[in-house]
């Protein structure tokens, strides 16, 4: 595989040992790596190299990674951003995702899980840029034009609100959507999160083989949901 065949990822990380691990593990899984050790270098590299995805640490020496997310999204840059940080607080995760990060992985991390998250975020970018208006994952198929949901080829009957939730997740497939974002989109800013939890539970009962161990709608505890 040549460099041209690989997915270019910008790794923004100031810890040398983490960069070495990422360089080896991502390189072995089809990624080409460019590195930046601080926020200023990251923003300059982004403009110069145009990576396909960004893997971003929040604790950088010159600026907070949250500020980088805000800067990129306010400028209209839609490059997928996966946060890789030792900050595991739910409030930080929610803030990063609300600012526009696509996903959030907490250190220490498993390489296989990180790579899966990167690939899912890349798939989301393709869909967001005007891919086919049909989402497919395993035995689940969502036709966003005809409002048709099938599971292993059989129609799934959803209530209007259940479909609206699934549609929103499909439009942002791979991206963690916070409770706040989903509720604001579907109910309004002052809605009770309990409504969302009830509908997600009902939705899982219809599209998951094992609702207690979902394969499609994944819970990010205390943060929100994402569609794999």
């Amino acid at each position: 595989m040549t460099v041209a065949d690989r997915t270019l990822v910008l790794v923004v990380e100031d810890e040398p040992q983490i960069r070495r691990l990422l360089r080896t593990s991502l390189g072995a899984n089809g990624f080409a790596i460019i590195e930046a050790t601080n926020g200023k270098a990251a923003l300059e590299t982004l403009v110069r190299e145009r990576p396909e995805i960004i893997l971003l640490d929040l604790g950088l020496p010159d600026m907070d990674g949250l500020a980088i997310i805000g800067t990129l999204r306010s400028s209209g840059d839609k490059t997928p951003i996966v946060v890789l940080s030792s900050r595991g607080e739910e409030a930080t995760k929610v803030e990063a995702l609300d600012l526009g990060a696509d996903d959030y992985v907490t250190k220490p991390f498993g390489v296989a899980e990180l790579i899966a998250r990167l690939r899912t975020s890349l798939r989301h970018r393709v869909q967001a840029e005007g891919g086919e208006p049909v989402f497919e994952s395993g035995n689940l198929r969502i036709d966003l034009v005809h409002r048709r949901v099938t599971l292993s080829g059989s129609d799934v009957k959803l209530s209007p609100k259940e479909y609206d939730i699934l549609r929103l997740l499909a439009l942002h497939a791979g991206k963690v959507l916070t409770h706040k974002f989903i509720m604001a989109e579907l109910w309004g800013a002052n809605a009770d999160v309990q409504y969302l939890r009830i509908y997600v539970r009902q939705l899982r009962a219809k599209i998951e083989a094992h609702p207690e161990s979902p394969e499609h709608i994944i819970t990010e505890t205390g943060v929100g949901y994402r569609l794999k």
Side-chain angles (χ1 to χ4, degrees):
M1 182 181 289
T2 67
V3 172
D5 297 324
R6 294 172 175 263
T7 299
L8 185 61
V9 54
L10 169 60
V11 173
V12 187
E13 171 63 65
D14 65 322
E15 296 184 41
Q17 64 272 30
I18 299 294
R19 291 203 308 277
R20 283 196 297 271
L21 171 61
L22 292 171
R23 195 181 306 136
T24 301
S25 57
L26 296 183
N29 284 275
F31 292 88
I33 317 300
I34 48 176
E35 301 173 8
T37 58
N38 58 59
K40 182 175 183 292
L43 293 173
E44 292 173 349
T45 303
L46 182 67
V47 172
R48 184 175 65 251
E49 301 290 346
R50 305 308 305 171
E52 294 171 74
I53 192 166
I54 303 167
L55 188 56
L56 175 67
D57 182 27
L58 297 183
L60 300 171
D62 60 339
M63 62 192 299
D64 195 295
L66 293 172
I68 294 177
I69 299 171
T71 296
L72 294 179
R73 294 303 185 242
S74 63
S75 71
D77 191 296
K78 296 180 180 180
T79 307
I81 300 171
V82 174
V83 172
L84 180 62
S85 177
S86 58
R87 299 183 199 172
E89 306 89 354
E90 289 178 1
T92 303
K93 292 181 181 180
V94 170
E95 184 176 4
L97 294 164
D98 279 340
L99 282 169
D102 291 79
D103 207 343
Y104 196 112
V105 178
T106 305
K107 298 176 183 175
F109 59 93
V111 170
E113 175 67 12
L114 176 62
I115 290 169
R117 299 287 189 98
L118 289 170
R119 287 176 175 162
T120 301
S121 294
L122 285 164
R123 183 178 66 187
H124 161 250
R125 183 189 70 158
V126 171
Q127 292 171 330
E129 289 179 347
E132 290 297 317
V134 173
F135 173 85
E136 292 186 85
S137 178
N139 63 347
L140 177 65
R141 187 176 192 273
I142 307 166
D143 185 330
L144 299 172
V145 174
H146 300 98
R147 294 178 64 91
R148 185 186 181 200
V149 179
T150 58
L151 198 64
S152 299
S154 299
D155 286 332
V156 179
K157 302 301 182 185
L158 302 179
S159 72
K161 191 60 71 177
E162 289 167 354
Y163 177 80
D164 287 344
I165 293 170
L166 189 59
R167 177 182 182 275
L168 187 64
L169 289 168
L171 288 172
H172 300 274
K175 178 180 172 63
V176 180
L177 301 186
T178 63
H179 298 133
K180 176 182 175 182
F181 176 83
I182 298 172
M183 291 187 296
E185 289 289 309
L186 301 181
W187 282 282
N190 297 319
D192 186 341
V193 70
Q194 191 59 27
Y195 289 124
L196 175 59
R197 293 192 175 112
I198 290 170
Y199 278 109
V200 169
R201 186 161 57 245
Q202 294 173 177
L203 188 52
R204 280 176 169 156
K206 296 180 178 181
I207 69 169
E208 302 282 4
H210 304 286
E212 68 283 0
S213 303
E215 297 179 2
H216 299 301
I217 301 177
I218 307 302
T219 297
E220 298 293 339
T221 304
V223 178
Y225 303 98
R226 64 186 172 91
L227 188 65
K228 286 188 73 173

